[in-house]
Amino acid sequence: MIMPSDQDYIDTKQIMLGKATMKQEFRPLADWIDQTFGVKPINILYGSTYDGKRPQIEICFEFERERSKFKDKDKLLYDRATQSVIANKFKQVLEEQGIIERPGIFDFFRKPASPKYLTDNVWVIYEAFEPIARIDAMESIPQEKIDELKKTLNNKELWEISRRFSGVTFFLYTDEQVKEYEKSEVRKEWANKFFDVLEPYNEFGYFKRKYFSVYLDSKENFDNNYQSSWDYYYR
């Protein structure tokens, strides 16, 4: 779940909208995570790692601060011991529900059934919904709405309005103009006007008008340092 186009995000969004629910067999694990770590997942998804070599469960929280609780003390990587504990619990709750069979002494003599879920060597990852929902809201604004806003602002020093991910940049023509507008009230006015355009797509309310701001940059910088390329600029 990295971008709004990812199926995991689409499925989780339906849960957040109240149009779907987490799979029943994963709810005991979600409750256990809530009781053990003090943060409740909004969804749990089963799949495999990118190379297809390991089963994987994706624990989805609403906020980044909830996901960050599972990082190590340096806050760089996820705590491996916690990942192992959750993986073991995943297997346990499925066994308790009879979804997978507990190994028995006679299993060696019979052909094993194909399990619905593989539970050995499970890789555990964590995702946060809010950052992707913010990208989703920004990307959902039709380009014609952006063009209309630019026309309405009617500022000859404004070259372009460009959005990428969850942010928006107002491009002036020169670096000197950027310095002037950084100190002016116009930037706040632009942020407020853009928020009016954004608000209909802000369905979860993650963008707040009080804290919303816009970036400023220049065509001069874009041309001289990024070869006039949007791909290069946002790389």
Side-chain angles (χ1 to χ4, degrees), residues 168-189:
V168 58
T169 302
F170 281 61
F171 283 84
L172 298 152
Y173 280 91
T174 68
D175 291 342
E176 189 61 36
Q177 289 170 338
V178 171
K179 293 178 183 179
E180 294 174 3
Y181 278 75
E182 287 278 7
K183 303 172 184 178
S184 75
E185 291 296 313
V186 175
R187 182 180 183 181
K188 294 180 181 179
E189 178 188 342

PDB file of all heavy atoms in Angstrom, residues 168-189:
ATOM      1  N   VAL A 168       1.421  20.854  -2.890  1.00  0.00           N
ATOM      2  CA  VAL A 168       1.184  21.669  -4.080  1.00  0.00           C
ATOM      3  C   VAL A 168       2.184  22.815  -4.083  1.00  0.00           C
ATOM      4  O   VAL A 168       2.476  23.416  -3.045  1.00  0.00           O
ATOM      5  CB  VAL A 168      -0.269  22.206  -4.124  1.00  0.00           C
ATOM      6  CG1 VAL A 168      -0.595  23.040  -2.899  1.00  0.00           C
ATOM      7  CG2 VAL A 168      -0.517  22.999  -5.401  1.00  0.00           C
ATOM      8  N   THR A 169       2.718  23.099  -5.275  1.00  0.00           N
ATOM      9  CA  THR A 169       3.720  24.149  -5.416  1.00  0.00           C
ATOM     10  C   THR A 169       3.219  25.209  -6.388  1.00  0.00           C
ATOM     11  O   THR A 169       2.755  24.888  -7.490  1.00  0.00           O
ATOM     12  CB  THR A 169       5.053  23.574  -5.938  1.00  0.00           C
ATOM     13  OG1 THR A 169       5.517  22.558  -5.038  1.00  0.00           O
ATOM     14  CG2 THR A 169       6.104  24.661  -6.055  1.00  0.00           C
ATOM     15  N   PHE A 170       3.306  26.445  -5.959  1.00  0.00           N
ATOM     16  CA  PHE A 170       2.988  27.585  -6.819  1.00  0.00           C
ATOM     17  C   PHE A 170       4.307  28.111  -7.381  1.00  0.00           C
ATOM     18  O   PHE A 170       5.187  28.535  -6.625  1.00  0.00           O
ATOM     19  CB  PHE A 170       2.272  28.679  -6.024  1.00  0.00           C
ATOM     20  CG  PHE A 170       0.804  28.411  -5.787  1.00  0.00           C
ATOM     21  CD1 PHE A 170       0.390  27.295  -5.078  1.00  0.00           C
ATOM     22  CD2 PHE A 170      -0.155  29.277  -6.277  1.00  0.00           C
ATOM     23  CE1 PHE A 170      -0.954  27.051  -4.860  1.00  0.00           C
ATOM     24  CE2 PHE A 170      -1.514  29.048  -6.074  1.00  0.00           C
ATOM     25  CZ  PHE A 170      -1.909  27.924  -5.365  1.00  0.00           C
ATOM     26  N   PHE A 171       4.433  28.071  -8.708  1.00  0.00           N
ATOM     27  CA  PHE A 171       5.658  28.498  -9.365  1.00  0.00           C
ATOM     28  C   PHE A 171       5.521  29.935  -9.848  1.00  0.00           C
ATOM     29  O   PHE A 171       4.633  30.249 -10.651  1.00  0.00           O
ATOM     30  CB  PHE A 171       5.966  27.599 -10.564  1.00  0.00           C
ATOM     31  CG  PHE A 171       6.550  26.262 -10.192  1.00  0.00           C
ATOM     32  CD1 PHE A 171       5.723  25.207  -9.837  1.00  0.00           C
ATOM     33  CD2 PHE A 171       7.922  26.053 -10.199  1.00  0.00           C
ATOM     34  CE1 PHE A 171       6.249  23.966  -9.501  1.00  0.00           C
ATOM     35  CE2 PHE A 171       8.463  24.824  -9.871  1.00  0.00           C
ATOM     36  CZ  PHE A 171       7.623  23.769  -9.514  1.00  0.00           C
ATOM     37  N   LEU A 172       6.410  30.765  -9.374  1.00  0.00           N
ATOM     38  CA  LEU A 172       6.562  32.105  -9.922  1.00  0.00           C
ATOM     39  C   LEU A 172       7.597  32.027 -11.050  1.00  0.00           C
ATOM     40  O   LEU A 172       8.128  30.954 -11.329  1.00  0.00           O
ATOM     41  CB  LEU A 172       6.989  33.055  -8.812  1.00  0.00           C
ATOM     42  CG  LEU A 172       5.933  33.148  -7.683  1.00  0.00           C
ATOM     43  CD1 LEU A 172       6.572  33.491  -6.369  1.00  0.00           C
ATOM     44  CD2 LEU A 172       4.854  34.150  -8.061  1.00  0.00           C
ATOM     45  N   TYR A 173       7.906  33.151 -11.648  1.00  0.00           N
ATOM     46  CA  TYR A 173       8.840  33.112 -12.769  1.00  0.00           C
ATOM     47  C   TYR A 173      10.294  33.183 -12.325  1.00  0.00           C
ATOM     48  O   TYR A 173      11.161  32.532 -12.917  1.00  0.00           O
ATOM     49  CB  TYR A 173       8.530  34.243 -13.759  1.00  0.00           C
ATOM     50  CG  TYR A 173       7.373  33.925 -14.682  1.00  0.00           C
ATOM     51  CD1 TYR A 173       6.081  34.285 -14.338  1.00  0.00           C
ATOM     52  CD2 TYR A 173       7.576  33.244 -15.878  1.00  0.00           C
ATOM     53  CE1 TYR A 173       5.002  33.975 -15.161  1.00  0.00           C
ATOM     54  CE2 TYR A 173       6.515  32.923 -16.716  1.00  0.00           C
ATOM     55  CZ  TYR A 173       5.224  33.288 -16.337  1.00  0.00           C
ATOM     56  OH  TYR A 173       4.156  32.957 -17.159  1.00  0.00           O
ATOM     57  N   THR A 174      10.580  33.974 -11.303  1.00  0.00           N
ATOM     58  CA  THR A 174      11.981  34.194 -10.926  1.00  0.00           C
ATOM     59  C   THR A 174      12.216  33.850  -9.455  1.00  0.00           C
ATOM     60  O   THR A 174      11.284  33.852  -8.626  1.00  0.00           O
ATOM     61  CB  THR A 174      12.395  35.657 -11.155  1.00  0.00           C
ATOM     62  OG1 THR A 174      11.696  36.496 -10.226  1.00  0.00           O
ATOM     63  CG2 THR A 174      12.090  36.099 -12.582  1.00  0.00           C
ATOM     64  N   ASP A 175      13.463  33.599  -9.130  1.00  0.00           N
ATOM     65  CA  ASP A 175      13.848  33.350  -7.738  1.00  0.00           C
ATOM     66  C   ASP A 175      13.593  34.580  -6.874  1.00  0.00           C
ATOM     67  O   ASP A 175      13.236  34.465  -5.698  1.00  0.00           O
ATOM     68  CB  ASP A 175      15.338  32.978  -7.659  1.00  0.00           C
ATOM     69  CG  ASP A 175      15.631  31.617  -8.279  1.00  0.00           C
ATOM     70  OD1 ASP A 175      14.673  30.829  -8.455  1.00  0.00           O
ATOM     71  OD2 ASP A 175      16.808  31.338  -8.584  1.00  0.00           O
ATOM     72  N   GLU A 176      13.799  35.733  -7.460  1.00  0.00           N
ATOM     73  CA  GLU A 176      13.575  36.978  -6.715  1.00  0.00           C
ATOM     74  C   GLU A 176      12.110  37.125  -6.334  1.00  0.00           C
ATOM     75  O   GLU A 176      11.784  37.574  -5.223  1.00  0.00           O
ATOM     76  CB  GLU A 176      14.036  38.173  -7.560  1.00  0.00           C
ATOM     77  CG  GLU A 176      14.052  39.500  -6.804  1.00  0.00           C
ATOM     78  CD  GLU A 176      14.995  39.488  -5.617  1.00  0.00           C
ATOM     79  OE1 GLU A 176      16.064  38.855  -5.706  1.00  0.00           O
ATOM     80  OE2 GLU A 176      14.652  40.124  -4.596  1.00  0.00           O
ATOM     81  N   GLN A 177      11.224  36.768  -7.233  1.00  0.00           N
ATOM     82  CA  GLN A 177       9.794  36.820  -6.914  1.00  0.00           C
ATOM     83  C   GLN A 177       9.447  35.854  -5.787  1.00  0.00           C
ATOM     84  O   GLN A 177       8.613  36.166  -4.927  1.00  0.00           O
ATOM     85  CB  GLN A 177       8.984  36.481  -8.162  1.00  0.00           C
ATOM     86  CG  GLN A 177       9.016  37.559  -9.225  1.00  0.00           C
ATOM     87  CD  GLN A 177       8.407  37.103 -10.536  1.00  0.00           C
ATOM     88  OE1 GLN A 177       8.310  35.899 -10.815  1.00  0.00           O
ATOM     89  NE2 GLN A 177       8.010  38.061 -11.382  1.00  0.00           N
ATOM     90  N   VAL A 178      10.077  34.677  -5.766  1.00  0.00           N
ATOM     91  CA  VAL A 178       9.843  33.710  -4.683  1.00  0.00           C
ATOM     92  C   VAL A 178      10.197  34.337  -3.345  1.00  0.00           C
ATOM     93  O   VAL A 178       9.445  34.218  -2.366  1.00  0.00           O
ATOM     94  CB  VAL A 178      10.660  32.418  -4.917  1.00  0.00           C
ATOM     95  CG1 VAL A 178      10.590  31.513  -3.680  1.00  0.00           C
ATOM     96  CG2 VAL A 178      10.152  31.681  -6.136  1.00  0.00           C
ATOM     97  N   LYS A 179      11.326  35.026  -3.266  1.00  0.00           N
ATOM     98  CA  LYS A 179      11.745  35.684  -2.021  1.00  0.00           C
ATOM     99  C   LYS A 179      10.713  36.710  -1.569  1.00  0.00           C
ATOM    100  O   LYS A 179      10.417  36.834  -0.382  1.00  0.00           O
ATOM    101  CB  LYS A 179      13.101  36.355  -2.218  1.00  0.00           C
ATOM    102  CG  LYS A 179      14.255  35.380  -2.435  1.00  0.00           C
ATOM    103  CD  LYS A 179      15.555  36.137  -2.666  1.00  0.00           C
ATOM    104  CE  LYS A 179      16.707  35.181  -2.951  1.00  0.00           C
ATOM    105  NZ  LYS A 179      17.987  35.909  -3.207  1.00  0.00           N
ATOM    106  N   GLU A 180      10.185  37.460  -2.518  1.00  0.00           N
ATOM    107  CA  GLU A 180       9.192  38.484  -2.184  1.00  0.00           C
ATOM    108  C   GLU A 180       7.894  37.861  -1.678  1.00  0.00           C
ATOM    109  O   GLU A 180       7.307  38.315  -0.690  1.00  0.00           O
ATOM    110  CB  GLU A 180       8.913  39.355  -3.414  1.00  0.00           C
ATOM    111  CG  GLU A 180      10.105  40.186  -3.867  1.00  0.00           C
ATOM    112  CD  GLU A 180       9.831  40.926  -5.166  1.00  0.00           C
ATOM    113  OE1 GLU A 180       8.688  40.821  -5.677  1.00  0.00           O
ATOM    114  OE2 GLU A 180      10.757  41.588  -5.686  1.00  0.00           O
ATOM    115  N   TYR A 181       7.430  36.797  -2.355  1.00  0.00           N
ATOM    116  CA  TYR A 181       6.154  36.188  -2.000  1.00  0.00           C
ATOM    117  C   TYR A 181       6.235  35.364  -0.715  1.00  0.00           C
ATOM    118  O   TYR A 181       5.231  35.173  -0.036  1.00  0.00           O
ATOM    119  CB  TYR A 181       5.642  35.322  -3.148  1.00  0.00           C
ATOM    120  CG  TYR A 181       4.932  36.106  -4.218  1.00  0.00           C
ATOM    121  CD1 TYR A 181       5.642  36.899  -5.124  1.00  0.00           C
ATOM    122  CD2 TYR A 181       3.545  36.076  -4.343  1.00  0.00           C
ATOM    123  CE1 TYR A 181       5.003  37.625  -6.114  1.00  0.00           C
ATOM    124  CE2 TYR A 181       2.887  36.796  -5.334  1.00  0.00           C
ATOM    125  CZ  TYR A 181       3.624  37.569  -6.213  1.00  0.00           C
ATOM    126  OH  TYR A 181       2.975  38.291  -7.191  1.00  0.00           O
ATOM    127  N   GLU A 182       7.438  34.881  -0.382  1.00  0.00           N
ATOM    128  CA  GLU A 182       7.612  34.143   0.870  1.00  0.00           C
ATOM    129  C   GLU A 182       7.228  35.009   2.065  1.00  0.00           C
ATOM    130  O   GLU A 182       6.717  34.511   3.075  1.00  0.00           O
ATOM    131  CB  GLU A 182       9.073  33.686   1.017  1.00  0.00           C
ATOM    132  CG  GLU A 182       9.474  32.547   0.106  1.00  0.00           C
ATOM    133  CD  GLU A 182       9.071  31.181   0.640  1.00  0.00           C
ATOM    134  OE1 GLU A 182       8.376  31.140   1.654  1.00  0.00           O
ATOM    135  OE2 GLU A 182       9.439  30.175   0.015  1.00  0.00           O
ATOM    136  N   LYS A 183       7.461  36.294   1.951  1.00  0.00           N
ATOM    137  CA  LYS A 183       7.213  37.215   3.061  1.00  0.00           C
ATOM    138  C   LYS A 183       5.838  37.872   2.989  1.00  0.00           C
ATOM    139  O   LYS A 183       5.452  38.600   3.907  1.00  0.00           O
ATOM    140  CB  LYS A 183       8.294  38.312   3.061  1.00  0.00           C
ATOM    141  CG  LYS A 183       9.713  37.780   3.140  1.00  0.00           C
ATOM    142  CD  LYS A 183      10.719  38.910   2.946  1.00  0.00           C
ATOM    143  CE  LYS A 183      12.149  38.381   2.911  1.00  0.00           C
ATOM    144  NZ  LYS A 183      13.132  39.488   2.666  1.00  0.00           N
ATOM    145  N   SER A 184       5.098  37.621   1.917  1.00  0.00           N
ATOM    146  CA  SER A 184       3.841  38.336   1.718  1.00  0.00           C
ATOM    147  C   SER A 184       2.635  37.537   2.192  1.00  0.00           C
ATOM    148  O   SER A 184       2.721  36.328   2.445  1.00  0.00           O
ATOM    149  CB  SER A 184       3.664  38.689   0.239  1.00  0.00           C
ATOM    150  OG  SER A 184       3.300  37.534  -0.488  1.00  0.00           O
ATOM    151  N   GLU A 185       1.511  38.226   2.281  1.00  0.00           N
ATOM    152  CA  GLU A 185       0.256  37.581   2.657  1.00  0.00           C
ATOM    153  C   GLU A 185      -0.364  36.835   1.477  1.00  0.00           C
ATOM    154  O   GLU A 185      -1.306  36.068   1.663  1.00  0.00           O
ATOM    155  CB  GLU A 185      -0.740  38.640   3.173  1.00  0.00           C
ATOM    156  CG  GLU A 185      -0.355  39.249   4.517  1.00  0.00           C
ATOM    157  CD  GLU A 185      -0.368  38.216   5.632  1.00  0.00           C
ATOM    158  OE1 GLU A 185      -1.352  37.450   5.727  1.00  0.00           O
ATOM    159  OE2 GLU A 185       0.604  38.175   6.406  1.00  0.00           O
ATOM    160  N   VAL A 186       0.170  37.069   0.287  1.00  0.00           N
ATOM    161  CA  VAL A 186      -0.380  36.420  -0.906  1.00  0.00           C
ATOM    162  C   VAL A 186      -0.251  34.904  -0.806  1.00  0.00           C
ATOM    163  O   VAL A 186      -1.158  34.158  -1.201  1.00  0.00           O
ATOM    164  CB  VAL A 186       0.325  36.936  -2.178  1.00  0.00           C
ATOM    165  CG1 VAL A 186      -0.156  36.163  -3.410  1.00  0.00           C
ATOM    166  CG2 VAL A 186       0.077  38.429  -2.359  1.00  0.00           C
ATOM    167  N   ARG A 187       0.855  34.456  -0.245  1.00  0.00           N
ATOM    168  CA  ARG A 187       1.048  33.007  -0.105  1.00  0.00           C
ATOM    169  C   ARG A 187      -0.059  32.387   0.748  1.00  0.00           C
ATOM    170  O   ARG A 187      -0.585  31.318   0.414  1.00  0.00           O
ATOM    171  CB  ARG A 187       2.417  32.726   0.518  1.00  0.00           C
ATOM    172  CG  ARG A 187       2.723  31.244   0.654  1.00  0.00           C
ATOM    173  CD  ARG A 187       4.082  31.031   1.280  1.00  0.00           C
ATOM    174  NE  ARG A 187       4.418  29.621   1.360  1.00  0.00           N
ATOM    175  CZ  ARG A 187       5.544  29.155   1.891  1.00  0.00           C
ATOM    176  NH1 ARG A 187       6.448  30.003   2.371  1.00  0.00           N
ATOM    177  NH2 ARG A 187       5.763  27.859   1.933  1.00  0.00           N
ATOM    178  N   LYS A 188      -0.430  33.033   1.836  1.00  0.00           N
ATOM    179  CA  LYS A 188      -1.518  32.539   2.682  1.00  0.00           C
ATOM    180  C   LYS A 188      -2.845  32.567   1.930  1.00  0.00           C
ATOM    181  O   LYS A 188      -3.668  31.668   2.065  1.00  0.00           O
ATOM    182  CB  LYS A 188      -1.615  33.379   3.956  1.00  0.00           C
ATOM    183  CG  LYS A 188      -0.415  33.244   4.885  1.00  0.00           C
ATOM    184  CD  LYS A 188      -0.588  34.097   6.127  1.00  0.00           C
ATOM    185  CE  LYS A 188       0.626  33.986   7.037  1.00  0.00           C
ATOM    186  NZ  LYS A 188       0.486  34.825   8.262  1.00  0.00           N
ATOM    187  N   GLU A 189      -3.023  33.614   1.137  1.00  0.00           N
ATOM    188  CA  GLU A 189      -4.247  33.712   0.341  1.00  0.00           C
ATOM    189  C   GLU A 189      -4.321  32.574  -0.674  1.00  0.00           C
ATOM    190  O   GLU A 189      -5.375  31.960  -0.857  1.00  0.00           O
ATOM    191  CB  GLU A 189      -4.278  35.062  -0.388  1.00  0.00           C
ATOM    192  CG  GLU A 189      -5.487  35.241  -1.296  1.00  0.00           C
ATOM    193  CD  GLU A 189      -5.397  36.496  -2.148  1.00  0.00           C
ATOM    194  OE1 GLU A 189      -4.601  37.384  -1.818  1.00  0.00           O
ATOM    195  OE2 GLU A 189      -6.117  36.550  -3.172  1.00  0.00           O
TER     196      GLU A 189
END
